Amino acid sequence: MSVTELVDGVLSGNRRYLARLISLIENEDRLAQDALIQLYKHTGKAYVIGVTGPPGSGKSSLVTKLTAEFRKRSKTIGVVCVDPSSPFTGGALLGDRIRMQEHSLDDEVFVRSMGTRGHLGGLSRAASDTVRVIDAFGKDIIFVETVGTGQSEVEVIEIAHTVIVTDVPGSGDDIQAIKAGIMEIAAIFVVNKSDYPGADKKVAEINTMLDLDPRERAWRPPVLLTNSRTGDGIAELADKLQEHLKYLKDSGMLEQKGLQRSREELQSIMKYKLTQELSQKLQGKPEYEKAIRMIAARKKDPYTVAEQLIAEFLFSEIR
Ligand SMILES: Nc1nc2c(ncn2[C@@H]2O[C@H](COP(=O)(O)OP(=O)(O)OP(=O)(O)O)[C@@H](O)[C@H]2O)c(=O)[nH]1
Ligand SMILES: [Mg+2]
């Protein structure tokens, strides 16, 4: 398949091409990068919503219900489920597939799950490229679901315009989901499983924690109650999401976030390319191997050698 075929397929709204391109992204195929280059100018239109929180707190159920709500509001939807603990990838994970079944016949909903298999460049790189191609494909809203337990997940969620942090009643006195890092990125807190005892207490706890936060903030994250089985509270959550998007636009935050993201992305790509270039140049060079031995034998120090090698092999042409 040619890049042009792939790109035209995605831009014309063909789901099979979209699925194909995502597989190429996962496999770090050169074709995927060429397609991303061409698709870039067609991106930046979707509203990306991150959903993170402890395992089993109802993230997938919440996304399924929100999808139904936004379909009623005539929005088209993409869903990317990122599960760093799963070795599976492609299509949807079994659980997600069952939950998203009600949308499986809806052409306006595209769901994709990603596990850790085969992402040399990192799961978050693959996930953000996937969001990007679904954006180019033309979906209005893209949900990114990820379990909130560690650092890599926080990274994935950084591509979202709005982050929902989910928690459930009675999940311990310490506020589980709100570990360092997560707290800063939450725009909306959701206490899901409102049918469980202690739901109001949980809401109060999170509100107290927010009140104790000394930082000035123009957007004070609301704390909402939902039931992702019955759909209670889902319409209110959808309203809040639209309100947050409006806030981001009106305050100039959306533009600022876009700039920040472009800066970080450019930096990370440059870093990656430089590293790649350097290792290619050093590959099998006797000077390199010799230097390593000298460092190990304490005849040279790694600081000076690093500078010398960079000067010699990376910047020699432009000097
Ligand atoms: N009682 C009740 N159960 C719920 C609610 N929301 C979700 N569940 C159930 O909780 C279980 C976990 O829901 P998921 O949507 O898979 O949760 P998740 O956060 O996506 O789980 P992981 O992706 O595995 O971390 C399922 O059995 C759901 O049916 C709710 O509001 N009330
Ligand atoms: Mg899930």
Side-chain angles (χ1 to χ4, degrees):
M1 191 186 295
S2 74
V3 182
T4 315
E5 227 179 306
L6 202 52
V7 168
D8 290 349
V10 169
L11 290 177
S12 70
N14 187 323
R15 297 165 68 96
R16 295 220 324 273
Y17 283 85
L18 176 60
R20 181 73 192 274
L21 177 51
I22 296 172
S23 297
L24 292 170
I25 288 172
E26 294 192 298
N27 297 328
E28 301 202 31
D29 195 295
R30 174 74 213 184
L31 206 58
Q33 210 202 328
D34 292 343
L36 279 160
I37 289 171
Q38 290 192 34
L39 287 172
Y40 189 77
K41 61 173 175 289
H42 301 280
T43 63
K45 299 184 195 100
Y47 176 30
V48 183
I49 301 170
V51 181
T52 191
S57 53
K59 299 177 292 298
S60 299
S61 313
L62 194 70
V63 168
T64 304
K65 282 286 188 282
L66 277 173
T67 296
E69 180 62 32
F70 279 119
R71 289 295 298 129
K72 277 195 235 156
R73 301 181 188 194
S74 303
K75 303 288 185 200
T76 61
I77 308 291
V79 180
V80 181
C81 302
V82 185
D83 187 351
S85 67
S86 167
F88 303 109
T89 204
L93 303 175
L94 185 61
D96 297 323
R97 209 179 296 147
I98 291 164
R99 271 182 293 272
M100 291 303 287
Q101 222 160 36
E102 59 176 284
H103 303 298
S104 64
L105 294 176
D106 185 348
D107 257 1
E108 304 301 338
V109 180
F110 181 89
V111 183
R112 183 79 177 208
S113 291
M114 326 187 73
T116 43
R117 199 189 64 192
H119 304 296
L120 300 171
L123 183 57
S124 69
R125 174 82 255 159
S128 52
D129 284 344
T130 296
V131 168
R132 189 161 272 168
V133 298
I134 298 176
D135 181 356
F137 186 69
K139 293 300 184 215
D140 299 321
I141 296 176
I142 303 170
F143 291 102
V144 183
E145 176 195 333
T146 179
V147 172
T149 45
Q151 202 49 50
S152 62
E153 296 83 343
V154 173
E155 228 172 79
V156 174
I157 221 79
E158 268 167 7
I159 63 173
H161 298 111
T162 301
V163 175
I164 300 174
V165 173
T166 59
D167 207 347
V168 288
S171 56
D173 283 336
D174 60 324
I175 299 158
Q176 268 207 33
I178 308 152
K179 302 224 172 85
I182 298 248
M183 159 104 195
E184 266 95 279
I185 57 170
I188 298 173
F189 286 96
V190 164
V191 176
N192 188 44
K193 307 197 186 183
S194 60
D195 49 321
Y196 280 18
D200 290 330
K201 183 171 167 252
K202 189 66 165 193
V203 171
E205 274 172 20
I206 298 174
N207 273 319
T208 304
M209 181 204 65
L210 287 168
D211 291 340
L212 291 173
D213 185 355
R215 280 170 306 150
E216 282 279 325
R217 45 170 111 200
W219 173 270
R220 201 262 195 200
V223 187
L224 304 181
L225 269 173
T226 58
N227 182 328
S228 299
R229 280 197 173 153
T230 60
D232 282 353
I234 298 295
E236 291 78 2
L237 175 56
D239 290 344
K240 271 290 173 223
L241 285 163
Q242 290 187 309
E243 201 183 302
H244 189 245
L245 178 61
K246 188 176 183 307
Y247 159 77
L248 290 175
K249 282 181 180 158
D250 295 350
S251 64
M253 286 279 288
L254 198 68
E255 200 190 344
Q256 214 178 307
K257 275 185 187 219
L259 283 172
Q260 180 62 14
R261 177 155 184 233
S262 299
R263 182 185 304 277
E264 280 164 11
E265 183 167 33
L266 179 61
Q267 239 166 37
S268 109
I269 293 171
M270 286 195 299
K271 241 188 250 174
Y272 177 73
K273 297 254 174 214
L274 282 173
T275 311
Q276 236 186 359
E277 185 79 11
L278 187 64
S279 52
Q280 256 172 32
K281 294 241 163 96
L282 293 176
Q283 187 77 36
K285 288 277 186 317
E287 301 93 308
Y288 186 44
E289 298 305 324
K290 193 175 156 212
I292 291 169
R293 273 193 293 275
M294 300 277 272
I295 294 167
R298 301 297 185 275
K299 288 188 179 133
K300 280 191 173 169
D301 71 274
Y303 314 99
T304 311
V305 173
E307 282 185 0
Q308 282 168 349
L309 288 177
I310 287 172
E312 187 171 345
F313 289 99
L314 209 50
F315 298 117
S316 51
E317 297 99 81
I318 51 174
R319 278 187 164 215

